[in-house]
Amino acid sequence: METIKIFSPATVANVACGFDVLGFCLDNVGDEMIIKKTTEKGIKITKIEGYDLPYATSKNVAGVAALALIEHAKPNCGFEIEIYKNIKPGSGIGSSSASASGVVFGINELLEKPYNKTQLTKFAMKGEALASGNEHADNIAPGIFGGFTLVKSLEPLEILELPTPKNLYATIIHPQIEVKTSEARAILPNEIPLKSGITQWANVGSLVHALHTSNYELLGKSLTDVVIEPYRKQLIPYFDDVKKEAIANGALGCGISGSGPSIFILSNGSNAAQKIANAIDLVYSKTNINFNIHISKINTQGIKIL
Ligand code: HSE
């Protein structure tokens, strides 16, 4: 294979209670990339459509992730990358992560898969670090593995794949404002009260149990974040109103997607997801902030070859 075209999906990190460890993958929102083998060694970004991002390999998230892979693989060829971005940078649904994970997935396919998914996650994290200032895998892992993932540890990198209940849908509202991950991390406290820790890890445990048992009610009750949301919600206009309307219209639960500004809502079935979308559309329609709403099944496959 000389060329590959892939779809690299958007992802939701944290999933309320699981800051920096939990994430899930969306199905119909994402970037496309075309990657070509070249005789000239190295990584060259030849096209970027959708958003204004740097072409210089060392300044581009995809470029840095690709470099991390080829520095390890030392292939006898190079790669040209075309990026068709649909996920707005700073949206909270894993824009940088989609670029970083897409490129390493694509190059790995062109090299006849020398690396497993955990190794690919590690390379992609180098790209993610360029965007957010630190290496975290909670957006990358669900893109590469699909479904729900839990980052058990970073050193050594250990990713757990969690089951996805069949009827689970996500509704995402993306207010068109930018929240930089680095800034959304800077406002967080270095220490948390023990009481909050207890609530939070009880919720992570019960969320994992709910995924394993397809217990939608428990899943909803576990989507509570007493550690991060109180700080970050101030960066997201009308967050409480969206949450209130979503719950009133049958949502299982709601939280900030990654570092925001997107908000995710989980529901049992596509009809419920649509009803919630209509309700939160009304909330934001009354404001002067532009927004998009996506409804997506959970994508259990992750990155797809087109
Ligand atoms: N876990 C990360 C955060 C995800 O919330 O800062 C954003 O990239």
Side-chain angles (χ1 to χ4, degrees), residues 95-115:
S95 178
S96 52
S97 159
S99 298
S101 41
V103 79
V104 296
F105 174 93
I107 293 178
N108 192 49
E109 292 290 323
L110 293 177
L111 293 176
E112 297 176 358
K113 298 205 212 182
Y115 297 113

Side-chain angles (χ1 to χ4, degrees), residues 39-60:
T39 46
E40 193 186 330
K41 288 190 178 180
I43 300 292
K44 200 167 167 191
I45 297 166
T46 53
K47 199 181 213 180
I48 303 175
E49 281 184 8
Y51 292 97
D52 193 16
L53 294 167
Y55 277 80
T57 308
S58 62
K59 296 203 168 103
N60 183 293

Side-chain angles (χ1 to χ4, degrees), residues 134-255:
N134 92 325
E135 284 188 25
H136 53 93
D138 52 339
N139 281 108
I140 292 165
I144 289 181
F145 288 80
F148 279 80
T149 53
L150 185 137
V151 184
K152 161 81 175 67
S153 99
L154 284 177
E155 281 297 334
L157 184 63
E158 211 179 320
I159 310 291
L160 305 183
E161 293 180 75
L162 302 172
T164 302
K166 271 203 181 64
N167 278 334
L168 201 58
Y169 275 77
T171 305
I172 309 282
I173 181 161
H174 172 205
Q176 303 284 304
I177 54 167
E178 189 178 354
V179 172
K180 285 205 163 69
T181 298
S182 51
E183 287 165 16
R185 293 182 83 85
I187 62 166
L188 300 178
N190 287 324
E191 289 172 6
I192 62 165
L194 182 60
K195 196 167 172 246
S196 308
I198 294 167
T199 305
Q200 201 84 349
W201 57 66
N203 280 320
V204 174
S206 64
L207 175 53
V208 170
H209 183 68
L211 292 173
H212 274 278
T213 52
S214 289
N215 185 336
Y216 292 91
E217 198 193 332
L218 180 64
L219 196 153
K221 284 198 290 183
S222 313
L223 292 173
T224 303
D225 173 9
V226 297
V227 171
I228 306 296
E229 188 182 290
Y231 294 91
R232 282 188 172 170
K233 71 177 186 177
Q234 59 192 298
L235 304 175
I236 306 168
Y238 309 100
F239 175 79
D240 285 332
D241 303 276
V242 167
K243 189 172 184 172
K244 203 168 133 223
E245 275 306 298
I247 302 292
N249 283 276
L252 298 170
C254 168

Side-chain angles (χ1 to χ4, degrees), residues 125-126 131 168 172 177 281 284:
M125 283 166 66
K126 299 285 175 206
L168 201 58
I172 309 282
I177 54 167
D281 187 304
Y284 256 83

